[in-house]
Amino acid sequence: MREKFRQGVDGSQGSSSSVGGRLRALLTARSVAGQAFVVQLALVLLLIVAAVVALVFQAQSSLMDDARERSLVEAESFAHTPGTLAAMKSRDPSAVLQPQAEATRKATGVDYIVAFRPDGVRWTHPDPRLIGKRVVGPSFRKALKGSTLTDTFTSPVGPAVATVVPVEDRDGSVVGLVSVGIRAERVEQRVEHQLPLLIGFAAGALLLVSGGAVLVNRRLRRQTHGLDPADMRRMYDHRDAVLHAVREGVLIIDSDGRLVLANDEARRLLDLPEGADAERRPVAELGLEPRLSALLTSGREATDEVYLAGDRLLAVNVRPTAPFGGPAGSAVTLRDTTELRVLAGRADVAQERLKLIYDAGLRIGTTLDVGRTAAELADVAVPRFADVVTVELLEPVLRGDEPEAALTTELRRMAVRGVPEGSAIYRVGEVLRFVPGTPMATSLADRRTVLVPDLRRSEEWRRQDVEGSRRVLDARIRSLISVPLQARGVVLGVASFWRSEDSDDFEDEDLTFAEELAARAAISIDNARRYTREHTTAVTLQRSLLPQALPEQSALEVAHRYLPAQAGVGGDWFDVIPLPGTRVALVVGDVVGHGLHAAATMGRLRTAVHNFSALDLPPDELLNHLDELVSHIDTDEARAAGRRPGGTDGDAVAWPGIGSDIEGAQPDGSRTGITGATCLYAIYDPVAGRATMARAGHPGPALVHPDGSVSFPEVPVSPPLGLGASVPVELAELTLAEGSRLVLYTDGLVEDRDRDIDTGLAMLHTALASGGRRDPDQICAAVLDAMLPEHPSDDIALLVARTQLLDPSRVAEWDVPSDPAAVAPIRAACLRKLESWGLASIEFTTELILSELITNAIRYGAQPIRVRLLHDRALICEVSDGTSASPHLRRAAITDEGGRGLFLVAQFAQRWGTRYTPGGKVIWTEQSLEDGQQEGGPDSAEDILDQWDDVPAL
């Protein structure tokens, strides 16, 4: 039995199976395995020869390249080494350079390093006897012009490469030259190094080929059962003849559910893709009906079971193949049952309608965009229900308003599918009114579906556009269903479904399906309309609360970007606020959450910052006041939340809001406060070049120095606004060089759901450092290009300010002694400075203002008293003293001896105010540099002085 088994499998007697016999069978060229072995052996030998030849050529070509590269690197390294230039300019260059050159030569393995003067006299050489003698060899005149020279030459010991690098002084003149020479190694040496690896590879390849040939031979014998090629050819010829001759579809499916074989009839009946059986595709990927696909892969027996395949009903028989000696799998036969085609057609229509309704639920309403939703309705219906679909919506729907279904209401076409848009009577975006009596107008007015089975017999339909109607009929359009789009009792528009002569005309049974399809779309359109209304309201509110234009000032060149999140408007904001004394405040803040509530809170905080800035508070005090304000807002909202539904006041109305405005909301719709707001406030002084800043829970700034380096200054962080719990805010003061770029941003730039803040800061550092001296607007663009997420989940506010310094020649300061007699000299010095600035036209008003302010400082203030004039967009006069008592503007009574001076100051100055400092206060005024008085002010000094007869002459 064992001998018969071996003979059946191997085709030979077991006693004759020996190693020698197998090798002879393997090496004989008549067998497939032997032919494969000979071909593989030839290919391996050919590859070995090609590899040796390629190795030799590669070695020849790379030797000189390696030598050039090493020579160039070593020459430039030695020439640019710190100290080389100084040594060449010293009295004895050889004493310094010779030890360095020899040490470098021995460390790097080059043949020589020679440093020599521009006239060719050597400073260094491996042979000390040649020092002081002229260089011989390739010309180095090109290197004297400042260019690096690499030359190849043949030395007594073989090919060599020399590189000459000039050493230039700061003025660009060549002080000396450095030459490095390297001898290329021999080709035979490199080949000898790689030859053992090649021999090992060849031996391994031969072993692999031999083993593979043995495996192929044994596998072929098992699979062919010992048949010779002629028998196998005859067997496959008979199989093909039988498969292609029968008029039943035949499939062979293996145990893994893959298609092994399919005849021509099966390919026709199932509409199989080309080469599906040759590629052994899974049956589940052939595009068959799910029930038929499940049967073919189940492995169960089936007899004349009927299944739908496209437009055919097939009788399917399935039998397992394993009991008949074959591998595990199934044999399937298919027959086309033509007598059941009518029934199959009706079932197909019903199934297609159900599938279309299901697809409509998935594909319509994917976005909250009115126009996109209308287009999705048309995409779903064409061509599975209609050949052409048009959708028109009432104009108020597009704005988010409540529409009115009146015949005079204008509609706008939102979608056309089934025909090229250019050939449509009304294109997408055009406004139209339907003529009363037309199917579309009747559908809108009566809120019912209108069917026109044959457009050629409909006179009412032609009223809309006679010429256009003729074009529609010429396009072979024959049938129409017009359905009103209505949701929640509101008519939004109309959808029209058209069919051509190539399709069946619409019938009454199609009306229900058209209404169902339109109803699903109408709900999505109405949701989009409501979202549009509330989103527009929120965006309008937010845009009105953000800066509309940056104020004019000379201290900073500012650029900004604001990008709202995709979820809706948020609470990020920024501001640029001019301050007295040419200073400017930069503000960036963030209110947690999105929607109307966050936008409204942002506006309150921005207004508060403007008010606090008007008091000229330092950053730490301003944030303390802002923290207290946010705490009050939170407290008020918490109290109000207790009176809304769920609280003590059951009659109160819940907060309105939009879908994305859910942060801080309770399940009953009430709120408990802001739960977080952050802010960074910085003041930049262009006179001193200093910036003072403080932050409350906000990311710190980035600083791009004039040389392009980037740093993140340490600014002490305080708790977010409203959560300060009486923790003092700390200040940071930075001295900024002119041209520095200060970058302020909100956390949406550096933090996202897909990346943490450390990764975001590293990306910001890279984006800021990637460019040279870019202006703020270019920096904003580069940062957003590098860091903006594909789907931003939070708002992004970015503010970039380049610092500028006020020219020292436009600043003048004087110390004032506590002596009334000092007023006149200081005033005269100020007038002389005005003349030097070309401001003689405002000398009188400036003299009046300075006289009053200096006199008050001497009379009521304390030392130190100082006067400062700043010539910027306006003339700024500042008088500081050591007291904190602030003057107040009042109208003096007739009997008062004083009190009129500050009134005069207020009349002649555009603005004036008081700024408190750690050592006292500063009274400042601003005057326009233009001739004449400001609008609404006095015409002359006499107009003011004439109001009081008792005022003495100045």
Side-chain angles (χ1 to χ4, degrees):
M1 290 296 293
R2 293 180 180 177
E3 291 179 357
K4 290 181 179 180
F5 180 80
R6 286 195 295 266
Q7 181 178 6
V9 175
D10 300 332
S12 61
Q13 297 292 333
S15 59
S16 63
S17 298
S18 62
V19 176
R22 292 178 180 177
L23 289 177
R24 284 193 299 272
L26 177 65
L27 295 176
T28 180
R30 295 178 181 178
S31 65
V32 176
Q35 295 176 3
F37 178 80
V38 173
V39 173
Q40 291 175 352
L41 181 62
L43 289 176
V44 170
L45 293 176
L46 181 61
L47 289 175
I48 293 174
V49 173
V52 172
V53 174
L55 178 63
V56 173
F57 280 105
Q58 181 183 7
Q60 289 177 346
S61 62
S62 64
L63 284 177
M64 297 309 294
D65 293 339
D66 293 343
R68 290 189 186 93
E69 189 174 21
R70 287 188 56 199
S71 173
L72 176 62
V73 170
E74 299 300 338
E76 289 186 344
S77 298
F78 189 83
H80 299 147
T81 299
T84 301
L85 177 61
M88 289 183 175
K89 296 171 65 177
S90 63
R91 294 184 178 180
D92 189 2
S94 295
V96 179
L97 296 176
Q98 177 66 10
Q100 296 179 359
E102 287 303 296
T104 303
R105 180 181 67 83
K106 295 175 181 178
T108 58
V110 300
D111 291 303
Y112 67 83
I113 298 178
V114 177
F116 53 94
R117 297 192 320 220
D119 58 359
V121 176
R122 298 186 181 94
W123 283 324
T124 66
H125 198 277
D127 187 357
R129 294 174 299 178
L130 298 179
I131 296 176
K133 297 183 179 180
R134 292 188 176 276
V135 175
V136 296
S139 174
F140 55 89
R141 292 182 179 178
K142 182 179 180 181
L144 291 175
K145 298 179 181 179
S147 301
T148 299
L149 176 64
T150 300
D151 197 6
T152 303
F153 60 95
T154 303
S155 66
V157 293
V161 176
T163 299
V164 180
V165 176
V167 179
E168 299 178 352
D169 204 348
R170 294 181 178 179
D171 58 358
S173 61
V174 178
V175 177
L177 300 101
V178 174
S179 176
V180 175
I182 299 177
R183 177 173 60 88
E185 62 180 347
R186 297 177 58 191
V187 175
E188 293 80 359
Q189 294 176 349
R190 179 167 294 188
V191 174
E192 290 174 359
H193 292 151
Q194 301 183 6
L195 194 57
L197 177 62
L198 185 61
I199 294 175
F201 172 79
L206 287 173
L207 291 175
L208 183 62
V209 169
S210 300
V214 172
L215 294 177
V216 169
N217 183 39
R218 296 186 63 182
R219 185 170 180 82
L220 285 175
R221 286 181 177 274
R222 283 198 305 268
Q223 292 182 348
T224 60
H225 301 287
L227 295 175
D228 59 23
D231 292 337
M232 294 179 62
R233 185 166 52 254
R234 283 194 300 272
M235 182 181 68
Y236 281 105
D237 289 341
H238 285 299
R239 188 209 69 161
D240 289 341
V242 172
L243 287 177
H244 297 299
V246 298
R247 298 313 301 166
E248 287 189 353
V250 178
L251 302 175
I252 302 296
I253 300 171
D254 64 12
S255 58
D256 295 331
R258 294 179 177 273
L259 180 64
V260 178
L261 181 145
N263 67 349
D264 294 341
E265 183 68 7
R267 293 192 185 96
R268 184 185 69 83
L269 293 176
L270 298 179
D271 195 18
L272 296 178
E274 190 70 24
D277 53 344
E279 298 172 4
R280 298 179 65 87
R281 294 188 186 179
V283 173
E285 298 179 3
L286 297 179
L288 304 179
E289 290 295 325
R291 293 179 61 248
L292 177 59
S293 178
L295 172 66
L296 298 181
T297 56
S298 66
R300 71 177 179 86
E301 292 189 19
T303 301
D304 290 335
E305 293 185 7
V306 179
Y307 288 87
L308 183 65
D311 57 351
R312 301 181 179 90
L313 283 176
L314 303 180
V316 183
N317 292 273
V318 181
R319 294 291 183 274
T321 57
F324 304 97
S330 302
V332 182
T333 60
L334 309 168
R335 296 196 314 274
D336 188 4
T337 58
T338 55
E339 64 275 8
L340 298 178
R341 286 186 178 180
V342 175
L343 179 61
R346 294 180 180 178
D348 185 28
V349 170
Q351 185 176 9
E352 179 63 24
R353 293 286 174 85
L354 291 176
K355 187 176 181 181
L356 182 55
I357 289 295
Y358 174 76
D359 290 344
L362 296 178
R363 295 173 55 185
I364 298 177
T366 58
T367 64
L368 289 174
D369 180 80
V370 173
R372 179 58 190 160
T373 305
E376 289 170 348
L377 167 61
D379 291 334
V380 168
V382 175
R384 297 164 66 181
F385 178 67
D387 296 316
V388 179
V389 174
T390 60
V391 180
E392 292 84 24
L393 297 180
L394 296 169
E395 280 289 320
V397 174
L398 306 181
R399 302 189 298 267
D401 298 335
E402 290 286 343
E404 296 180 1
L407 295 180
T408 57
T409 305
E410 293 182 342
L411 294 96
R412 187 177 297 272
R413 174 154 290 181
M414 303 304 299
V416 175
R417 295 294 185 274
V419 295
E421 185 178 340
S423 62
I425 300 176
Y426 301 103
R427 300 184 181 182
V428 173
E430 290 188 9
V431 177
L432 62 151
R433 287 188 178 91
F434 290 119
V435 176
T438 59
M440 285 72 73
T442 302
S443 177
L444 282 173
D446 299 343
R447 298 189 178 189
R448 64 180 179 86
T449 303
V450 177
L451 168 64
V452 182
D454 191 349
L455 294 174
R456 293 170 294 184
R457 301 177 181 178
S458 175
E459 295 296 333
E460 293 82 4
W461 171 70
R462 299 173 185 267
R463 296 176 185 174
Q464 181 68 31
D465 187 340
V466 177
E467 180 62 29
S469 302
R470 186 180 301 109
R471 288 169 52 192
V472 171
L473 296 177
D474 291 342
R476 304 172 63 193
I477 302 297
R478 294 295 180 262
S479 188
L480 164 68
I481 292 180
S482 183
V483 186
L485 297 172
Q486 51 185 341
R488 303 180 181 93
V490 177
V491 176
L492 308 173
V494 61
S496 300
F497 303 93
W498 314 72
R499 281 184 182 176
S500 66
E501 290 180 350
D502 298 331
S503 304
D504 296 334
D505 292 341
F506 284 120
E507 300 176 356
D508 291 338
E509 62 182 15
D510 295 318
L511 297 180
T512 303
F513 179 78
E515 291 171 353
E516 177 66 22
L517 198 62
R520 290 178 177 268
I523 293 295
S524 299
I525 292 174
D526 190 56
N527 290 336
R529 176 188 67 83
R530 291 168 176 258
Y531 173 80
T532 300
R533 178 184 61 194
E534 299 195 5
H535 182 72
T536 302
T537 302
V539 169
T540 302
L541 173 62
Q542 184 195 42
R543 294 298 183 187
S544 65
L545 295 176
L546 287 173
Q548 303 302 309
L550 296 182
E552 295 184 358
Q553 43 81 31
S554 303
L556 298 168
E557 181 185 350
V558 182
H560 63 88
R561 294 290 190 276
Y562 178 83
L563 297 176
Q566 287 190 344
V569 298
D572 290 19
W573 57 283
F574 64 91
D575 217 333
V576 179
I577 306 173
L579 298 177
T582 70
R583 298 168 303 137
V584 176
L586 300 176
V587 195
V588 175
D590 184 6
V591 176
V592 174
H594 295 88
L596 289 173
H597 181 260
T601 305
M602 175 267 288
R604 298 170 72 178
L605 294 184
R606 179 169 177 256
T607 302
V609 169
H610 269 271
N611 293 334
F612 292 144
S613 298
L615 300 177
D616 213 341
L617 299 177
D620 54 344
E621 292 186 24
L622 186 141
L623 290 184
N624 281 327
H625 287 295
L626 206 60
D627 176 73
E628 184 178 358
L629 172 65
V630 173
S631 298
H632 285 307
I633 294 175
D634 281 346
T635 302
D636 293 342
E637 292 198 352
R639 291 174 180 172
R643 295 192 298 271
R644 298 192 186 107
T648 59
D649 187 1
D651 296 332
V653 180
W655 277 63
I658 62 176
S660 61
D661 187 16
I662 61 174
E663 289 77 359
Q666 298 295 322
D668 60 359
S670 60
R671 296 184 173 274
T672 59
I674 299 175
T675 32
T678 66
C679 184
L680 187 151
Y681 188 85
I683 297 178
Y684 174 68
D685 185 356
V687 178
R690 286 194 300 270
T692 56
M693 59 185 67
R695 60 183 175 129
H698 201 84
L703 181 62
V704 183
H705 299 276
D707 61 357
S709 60
V710 180
S711 64
F712 293 90
E714 288 292 336
V715 179
V717 62
S718 301
L721 300 175
L723 306 176
S726 302
V727 176
V729 179
E730 298 183 50
L731 269 178
E733 185 170 311
L734 307 175
T735 300
L736 305 179
E738 186 172 15
S740 301
R741 278 86 81 197
L742 193 62
V743 182
L744 310 182
Y745 51 89
T746 55
D747 58 354
L749 179 68
V750 296
E751 194 172 11
D752 192 70
R753 60 169 61 99
D754 297 326
R755 67 177 180 225
D756 56 27
I757 191 169
D758 293 332
T759 303
L761 290 175
M763 294 175 62
L764 177 60
H765 185 282
T766 302
L768 293 175
S770 60
R773 298 181 59 85
R774 297 175 295 184
D775 60 35
D777 194 72
Q778 293 172 334
I779 292 178
C780 287
V783 168
L784 292 183
D785 289 343
M787 302 190 62
L788 186 63
E790 183 177 357
H791 302 289
S793 59
D794 195 7
D795 295 3
I796 296 176
L798 177 63
L799 195 64
V800 180
R802 178 161 58 188
T803 61
Q804 301 178 122
L805 293 178
L806 189 62
D807 191 343
S809 64
R810 290 175 170 257
V811 180
E813 292 185 88
W814 296 271
D815 291 327
V816 181
S818 299
D819 184 3
V823 175
I826 296 298
R827 185 172 56 200
C830 293
L831 295 180
R832 288 194 297 271
K833 179 56 69 174
L834 291 181
E835 291 181 358
S836 66
W837 287 343
L839 302 179
S841 60
I842 59 174
E843 284 184 357
F844 176 78
T845 55
T846 306
E847 182 180 8
L848 176 63
I849 291 171
L850 289 174
S851 297
E852 175 62 24
L853 298 182
I854 297 173
T855 301
N856 285 345
I858 294 174
R859 179 178 298 178
Y860 305 110
Q863 287 292 340
I865 302 175
R866 176 166 294 182
V867 175
R868 185 170 74 163
L869 297 182
L870 303 176
H871 181 197
D872 191 39
R873 294 176 178 269
L875 177 65
I876 302 171
C877 302
E878 296 181 346
V879 178
S880 60
D881 65 79
T883 64
S884 59
S886 175
H888 297 283
L889 181 65
R890 66 185 181 87
R891 181 178 293 275
I894 298 177
T895 57
D896 290 343
E897 295 183 359
R900 299 175 178 83
L902 196 58
F903 184 80
L904 291 176
V905 170
Q907 292 294 318
F908 280 99
Q910 278 189 325
R911 295 195 307 156
W912 74 280
T914 303
R915 179 171 75 251
Y916 293 97
T917 64
K921 68 176 182 299
V922 177
I923 309 296
W924 56 268
T925 65
E926 285 188 10
Q927 297 171 252
S928 174
L929 301 183
E930 300 178 358
D931 295 335
Q933 302 295 332
Q934 60 182 344
E935 184 179 354
D939 296 332
S940 65
E942 287 74 9
D943 294 338
I944 295 297
L945 297 180
D946 288 344
Q947 299 181 39
W948 295 279
D949 296 334
D950 57 341
V951 177
L954 296 176

